[in-house]
Amino acid sequence: MLQLQNIEKVYRTDTVETLALRNINLQVDKGEFLSIMGPSGCGKSTLLNLMGLLDEPSKGKVVVDGKSTERLSDKQMAHFRNQSFGFIFQSYHLINDLKVLDNTELPLLYRSSASGQRKKLATEALEKVGLANRANHLPSQLSGGQKQRVAIARAIVGKPSIILADEPTGNLDSTMGHEIMDILLHLNQNEGTTIVMVTHDETMARRTHRLVRLFDGSQVQ
Ligand SMILES: Nc1ncnc2c1ncn2[C@@H]1O[C@H](COP(=O)(O)OP(=O)(O)OP(=O)(O)O)[C@@H](O)[C@H]1O
Ligand SMILES: [Mg+2]
């Protein structure tokens, strides 16, 4: 489903060069729930961004569903990303002056769905995360766990085959963190959504199928 082949990522600024990832070979199978752990700065977010086609590797290939992505134009890449991936971030990334329902339907705006259809899909996604009764709230009127549930609804509204989550429970207490994990596990088990999750939390990682550890840009497990 998702393959990284001989990936290297170098960040260059005027003065420094950082080798953020070196020689990464990783395959994520359909239906798998994979977690990625490692110390701060070891390259976890960089890896996730490459998987989600938000950034390009300096060397190596990202293959999605058997298709190499290296020769896609920016437009094709954006289309592919919008169709295949749902993203969840530690700090939610909700738009503060949009209601919950409008935040949820954002990924559909890039597609040609009609407004009624978008509202219907967004409402269904909010039902899945137990937040249909907050559709008309603003993000500022929600708890952290509820904000993250909106972010999950937004990630799944377009029915992506892969969810990429960067520390989705990082800002939450353990009870709320486990609630978010329950929702992700449910999506994985019942809808077959493939999930890759970066986490700092061993207990969350233990609930997934497989753990990859990074250290200083290299895969160590
Ligand atoms: N845009 C950038 N420009 C230059 N260097 C970068 C950039 N993004 C990341 N880096 C560097 O690449 C390395 C890996 O960063 P990355 O964000 O992937 O780490 P991380 O494992 O996600 O850390 P954390 O757990 O703190 O989120 C770090 O040394 C970082 O300073
Ligand atoms: Mg990170």
Side-chain angles (χ1 to χ4, degrees), residues 11-13 18 20 38-47 166-167 200:
Y11 289 112
R12 287 193 181 85
T13 63
T18 311
S40 180
C42 71
K44 304 180 297 295
S45 297
T46 302
L47 186 65
D166 199 346
E167 301 192 43
H200 274 119

Side-chain angles (χ1 to χ4, degrees), residues 124-138:
E124 281 169 14
L126 286 171
E127 277 164 5
K128 285 188 186 152
V129 299
L131 272 187
N133 59 351
R134 295 286 187 278
N136 292 315
H137 281 55
L138 289 169

Side-chain angles (χ1 to χ4, degrees), residues 43-157:
K44 304 180 297 295
S45 297
T46 302
L47 186 65
L48 214 62
N49 290 344
L50 293 178
M51 284 182 172
L53 313 180
L54 292 169
D55 200 358
E56 289 176 26
S58 312
K59 280 191 195 151
K61 261 195 212 180
V62 181
V63 180
V64 184
D65 281 337
K67 284 185 229 95
S68 174
T69 55
E70 65 192 332
R71 288 195 218 292
L72 294 179
S73 68
D74 286 353
K75 202 174 160 203
Q76 288 171 316
M77 197 88 108
H79 179 76
F80 207 47
R81 189 162 57 226
N82 184 251
Q83 296 290 322
S84 304
F85 297 101
F87 295 92
I88 304 170
F89 304 94
Q90 176 176 359
S91 48
Y92 325 122
H93 289 200
L94 299 177
I95 296 181
N96 288 329
D97 53 10
L98 287 186
K99 287 177 183 173
V100 163
L101 187 71
D102 299 326
N103 263 289
T104 306
E105 69 176 70
L106 278 177
L108 302 176
L109 292 178
Y110 301 101
R111 307 183 185 184
S112 52
S113 16
S115 157
Q117 176 69 1
R118 289 202 304 267
K119 298 251 175 302
K120 180 169 166 278
L121 290 171
T123 305
E124 281 169 14
L126 286 171
E127 277 164 5
K128 285 188 186 152
V129 299
L131 272 187
N133 59 351
R134 295 286 187 278
N136 292 315
H137 281 55
L138 289 169
S140 59
Q141 299 166 325
L142 302 178
S143 72
Q146 288 173 332
K147 283 183 202 167
Q148 196 56 298
R149 277 148 66 192
V150 176
I152 295 176
R154 182 186 56 192
I156 62 175
V157 74

